[in-house]
Amino acid sequence: MKTVWFHLMPYPELPDDFTSEHRSVWVDIDPKLFDPAVGHRMYNDYIDELEFAAKVGFDGVGINEHHSNAYGLMPSPNLIAAALARTCPDAALVVLGDSVALYNPPIRVAEEFAMLDCISGGRLVAGFPVGTPMDTLYAYGNNPATLRERYHEGIELILRAWTSDEVFAFNGKYSKSRYVNCWPRPVQDPHPPVWIPGGGSIDTWEWCAQTGYSYLYLSYFGYKAALSTMRGFWNRVEAAGRPRNPYQAGFAQFFGVADSEKEAIELYREPAEYFFNRCLHVYPGFADPPGYKTLQTVRNGAEGMVERAAREASERAEQAAKKAARKAAQQSFSAASHMTFEQMVEKGYVIVGSPDQVAEKTVEMATDLNIGHVMSLCHFGNMNRDLAMHNTELMATKVLPQISHLWDDQWEDHWWPRPLTDRVR
Amino acid sequence: MAATPDGPGSMTLDSWRAGSLEIFRVGRGPRIGYLHGMVPVTSDEAFVTCLAEQGREVVAPCLPGYGGTSTSRDLRTMHDWVAATSEIIDVAGLNGAPMVASSVGAMLALELASIRPEAFSHLVLIGPIGLWRDDCPVTDPFSTTLSGQRNLLTNDPGLTASFYDGAAGEDPVVATIQRYTARTATASLVWPIPDFGLSQRIHRVSCPVTLIWGADDRIVPPVYADFFAESLSELRSVHLIEGAGHLAEWDAPARVAEIVTEALRES
């Protein structure tokens, strides 16, 4: 199993009254809350942490893209990846990724990813998320009616740009270029492995199952709540006639490791509560703009509601409705924002404990979800640099040795970078 | 080519742009068109009934994505939308007829009239979208919850129940998908800022224009009536409807129908 040290880069100094005085951490968060001096320290600390993770033995370092977002301060993950490509000489660079529809033309993604693959000697994982509504539609003004078509067309252009041996004309609906000619070209042949981060959409599973791309479920709500989603994904993979190779899937998980469970709870309570109770304070009006979901997803949701309504009518309607509401609340951003740390641990949002306890739960998680790539969130919320590194070091030295063997003798990772053997760095 | 049904009712053209086009026809008398706003028209919409009772044959097509008219991924730009609207006006037999148009429908009518001035003999526009002032921005109707969106449209949210809650006897799954498709069509017309350059073309509108505005319009503030009035050389009159929201023809159907009749009589 491969473990990637994944950073969201949250702003660490949101005020205590943030959730009562501000309506959202995303899109229309007050610009005056950002202190550039904090930003200076924060970015350098966070890059230090990523470099440290690579140094102590994580298989990869991971970053992603968000906009107008105080819990995800990487509008340009490629900038961070460029720095890491030089200072993390052996780790995979997992960029999760560039929100293709936001790049005009998307050939820019092909070029920058090719640069990263060249600089790193072929260590890039190319992530292509659709992007959240908050990022793509509200912050960047894409039209929801055309976002997904633009996204898929962009990926088609990028892959052709990487693999075509000739200059070609691309006459897309959204991108038109008379001369597509990607210089530089990626080291990896035919191109870096493609991972598709998603939030549980059936369309995304289906697409990954059909194309063979690796599906990465980026949930913040723990492995216990992810079981049904990942079972759905694997059903689609099997239906497509593909093997259940766990490396075709990954999952993001928060970790807090200490010498004992008691100490772990003491250490990680504050940063976890900061993240879940403050950073996920997203205004619900940004969550579901029309057009963002595919009609198939809308249909599935509507049919589920109808089936649920019928079941509730014949059973104990009131009790079932409350249960459904609780379940929905568990999976919504704003809903997480009033939980205690104990509840977060109990629900599996955060795996905390001694190294042995964390290793045991991680193996359980990876086995239950059938995943080969763990996106390990060892920094979260307002965790300081020292604690992040402490957590990272314990994870690397005492947990990874207990879990990295998983799947080794059963499956080959076809979705991991294949770097040059004679790299200069 | 006029393809409206021979008598009152609705018809669906199954071969329109590889999909379907739904057109309602209500009442008898001189023909008048109606282009709906953010909520699709139905044959029993109160405003359509009121207009028909004024002695009019109301021909009301559903725009792409609304009601029984197919959605289309090919509608990517305002140019695409105007081309489709132009085609619908012809197919519905509305070329050269007077037209009542609301909200996004009014934006499309103005866009069409600016490049095809002979398309309408008179335009009655209810809360048109299409201009933008930085000091008085048009509200983003989609940065709120579904119930919030509903509350933005009319003063009485109960008036749009058939759209938001589904009509009696309607398949809830079908209703959900139709509602989502219609809202997506609206989003494609207003996202992120509903200014597609109309201000550069609106001077080409040469037919008489009557403006109607809900005094409580929470999407396009009533002050926009002045901005449109400044740009329309053939403006006949401006009417502010007290107690009405953005879709004034839903909040005050009889009053708006009276204004339409009066405006056309004077025209």
Side-chain angles (χ1 to χ4, degrees):
Chain A
M1 187 164 67
K2 305 287 199 313
T3 307
V4 176
W5 201 96
F6 185 35
H7 216 318
L8 296 174
M9 298 199 172
Y11 189 74
E13 296 192 13
L14 292 174
D16 292 342
D17 62 358
F18 178 71
T19 56
S20 61
E21 298 301 312
H22 301 267
R23 81 167 182 171
S24 186
V25 78
W26 216 331
V27 181
D28 59 356
I29 183 172
D30 187 349
K32 296 186 291 296
L33 290 178
F34 188 89
D35 179 347
V38 173
H40 167 70
R41 188 187 73 231
M42 177 198 79
Y43 278 121
N44 283 283
D45 280 353
Y46 289 168
I47 293 171
D48 284 349
E49 292 161 16
L50 283 154
E51 291 172 344
F52 181 74
K55 183 179 173 185
V56 294
F58 277 80
D59 298 300
V61 285
I63 49 184
N64 69 349
E65 174 177 337
H66 285 304
H67 300 276
S68 307
N69 180 347
Y71 87 66
L73 275 159
M74 269 183 288
S76 174
N78 297 356
L79 283 180
I80 305 295
L84 300 176
R86 294 275 299 171
T87 54
C88 304
D90 297 314
L93 293 175
V94 183
V95 183
L96 290 175
D98 285 9
S99 301
V100 174
L102 304 187
Y103 295 76
N104 184 18
I107 192 74
R108 183 81 181 183
V109 175
E111 291 171 336
E112 292 190 4
F113 272 0
M115 288 177 71
L116 289 169
D117 209 41
C118 284
I119 295 169
S120 67
R123 289 181 287 120
L124 180 73
V125 169
F128 295 136
V130 175
T132 69
M134 287 72 82
D135 293 314
T136 56
L137 307 179
Y138 291 100
Y140 260 45
N142 260 242
N143 194 310
T146 52
L147 176 74
R148 287 180 188 270
E149 193 174 57
R150 183 185 291 271
Y151 162 75
H152 285 291
E153 181 185 294
I155 292 176
E156 178 192 345
L157 171 55
I158 292 164
L159 294 177
R160 281 187 64 187
W162 279 343
T163 55
S164 175
D165 288 332
E166 296 178 345
V167 179
F168 64 92
F170 188 84
N171 182 20
K173 289 182 180 177
Y174 304 96
S175 296
K176 293 182 187 293
S177 179
R178 177 72 73 169
Y179 306 102
V180 179
N181 188 4
C182 186
W183 272 70
R185 295 167 69 87
V187 163
Q188 296 179 81
D189 185 16
H191 56 73
V194 172
W195 292 13
I196 308 295
S201 159
I202 290 175
D203 304 276
T204 307
W205 308 344
E206 185 71 50
W207 190 53
C208 289
Q210 295 296 333
T211 58
Y213 297 144
S214 184
Y215 175 63
L216 182 70
Y217 186 22
L218 285 183
S219 166
Y220 298 140
F221 305 111
Y223 65 101
K224 293 179 182 175
L227 271 173
S228 61
T229 295
M230 293 309 296
R231 282 180 187 144
F233 169 68
W234 288 117
N235 287 341
R236 298 285 175 160
V237 169
E238 286 188 330
R242 295 180 183 276
R244 289 169 56 93
N245 185 332
Y247 290 112
Q248 201 187 338
F251 184 68
Q253 178 65 49
F254 293 89
F255 291 100
V257 193
D259 291 335
S260 68
E261 183 176 19
K262 181 172 178 291
E263 185 188 357
I265 289 172
E266 289 172 2
L267 288 175
Y268 300 112
R269 174 188 300 279
E270 183 190 342
E273 290 183 349
Y274 180 95
F275 181 79
F276 284 100
N277 292 346
R278 216 173 293 188
C279 292
L280 297 188
H281 176 61
V282 180
Y283 172 57
F286 295 139
D288 191 20
Y292 180 77
K293 293 177 185 167
T294 65
L295 285 182
Q296 186 59 46
T297 298
V298 175
R299 177 181 293 279
N300 291 337
E303 288 172 347
M305 286 167 58
V306 171
E307 287 169 10
R308 190 189 310 158
R311 190 170 61 246
E312 288 171 2
S314 63
E315 297 173 358
R316 291 172 294 177
E318 188 177 349
Q319 190 175 349
K322 286 178 181 173
K323 184 179 177 185
R326 280 199 304 273
K327 185 177 179 185
Q330 284 169 4
Q331 305 208 3
S332 74
F333 275 40
S334 48
S337 60
H338 303 289
M339 299 182 71
T340 65
F341 186 55
E342 284 72 16
Q343 289 172 311
M344 297 168 198
V345 172
E346 192 260 327
K347 292 177 182 298
Y349 291 11
V350 188
I351 293 178
V352 293
S354 68
D356 290 349
Q357 289 172 315
V358 170
E360 183 183 344
K361 286 180 183 171
T362 306
V363 169
E364 176 189 317
M365 170 187 79
T367 306
D368 288 351
L369 302 180
N370 195 48
I371 55 159
H373 300 142
V374 176
M375 304 303 293
S376 157
L377 289 148
C378 291
H379 175 282
F380 40 87
N382 59 351
M383 190 184 293
N384 65 47
R385 181 178 179 276
D386 289 344
L387 182 56
M389 289 187 174
H390 176 67
N391 193 18
T392 301
E393 185 164 24
L394 285 175
M395 189 79 182
T397 58
K398 298 190 175 177
V399 177
L400 297 194
Q402 299 186 59
I403 65 174
S404 59
H405 66 280
L406 193 63
W407 314 124
D408 276 356
D409 56 347
Q410 301 167 63
W411 298 99
E412 184 178 352
D413 190 347
H414 303 295
W415 295 268
W416 197 252
R418 286 171 167 70
L420 296 170
T421 51
D422 54 347
R423 301 196 301 278
V424 295
R425 298 185 70 86
Chain B
M1 176 187 69
T4 51
D6 291 335
S10 70
M11 68 169 296
T12 302
L13 296 178
D14 291 328
S15 58
W16 186 75
R17 289 191 165 209
S20 58
L21 171 64
E22 186 169 44
I23 302 171
F24 295 102
R25 177 174 169 171
V26 180
R28 292 189 182 280
R31 181 171 289 182
I32 187 170
Y34 170 45
L35 281 182
H36 59 82
M38 296 182 181
V39 174
V41 61
T42 59
S43 61
D44 59 353
E45 182 182 325
F47 172 63
V48 173
T49 303
C50 289
L51 204 52
E53 287 173 355
Q54 299 275 330
R56 289 280 174 176
E57 177 199 49
V58 183
V59 177
C62 286
L63 290 164
Y66 296 88
T69 301
S70 306
T71 186
S72 174
R73 290 283 180 188
D74 291 332
L75 298 175
R76 297 187 302 278
T77 67
M78 180 52 68
H79 179 81
D80 299 329
W81 274 97
V82 173
T85 305
S86 183
E87 197 176 318
I88 289 170
I89 295 304
D90 288 342
V91 169
L94 288 169
N95 182 34
M99 174 66 75
V100 184
S102 172
S103 181
V104 289
M107 175 171 70
L108 290 170
L110 277 169
E111 289 279 7
L112 179 58
S114 71
I115 60 168
R116 185 179 156 186
E118 73 286 3
F120 309 114
S121 61
H122 192 126
L123 277 174
V124 181
L125 304 174
I126 307 164
I129 289 175
L131 297 183
W132 176 270
R133 294 289 180 103
D134 285 341
D135 57 349
C136 186
V138 174
T139 300
D140 175 1
F142 293 113
S143 62
T144 182
T145 59
L146 190 59
S147 62
Q149 293 167 32
R150 180 176 178 170
N151 292 336
L152 283 173
L153 294 180
T154 53
N155 268 7
D156 178 1
L159 294 170
T160 53
S162 63
F163 178 67
Y164 282 102
D165 301 332
E170 195 174 25
D171 181 332
V173 175
V174 172
T176 299
I177 291 172
Q178 284 197 342
R179 181 168 56 247
Y180 195 80
T181 305
R183 292 172 60 238
T184 300
T186 299
S188 77
L189 282 165
V190 305
W191 203 291
I193 288 177
D195 175 2
F196 301 95
L198 176 63
S199 63
Q200 305 302 309
R201 299 181 285 272
I202 196 170
H203 66 277
R204 292 262 299 151
V205 177
S206 57
C207 66
V209 178
T210 301
L211 287 175
I212 298 175
W213 230 281
D216 301 328
D217 193 327
R218 288 175 291 281
I219 292 182
V220 190
V223 68
Y224 270 82
D226 297 336
F227 305 150
F228 276 94
E230 291 166 6
S231 307
L232 291 163
S233 60
E234 297 301 320
L235 179 71
R236 292 294 185 267
S237 56
V238 179
H239 304 264
L240 199 65
I241 311 289
E242 297 296 333
H246 178 60
L247 300 180
E249 75 278 20
W250 286 74
D251 273 321
R255 177 66 188 127
V256 173
E258 287 171 9
I259 293 172
V260 172
T261 301
E262 190 178 335
L264 296 185
R265 188 184 304 126
E266 291 173 356
S267 178

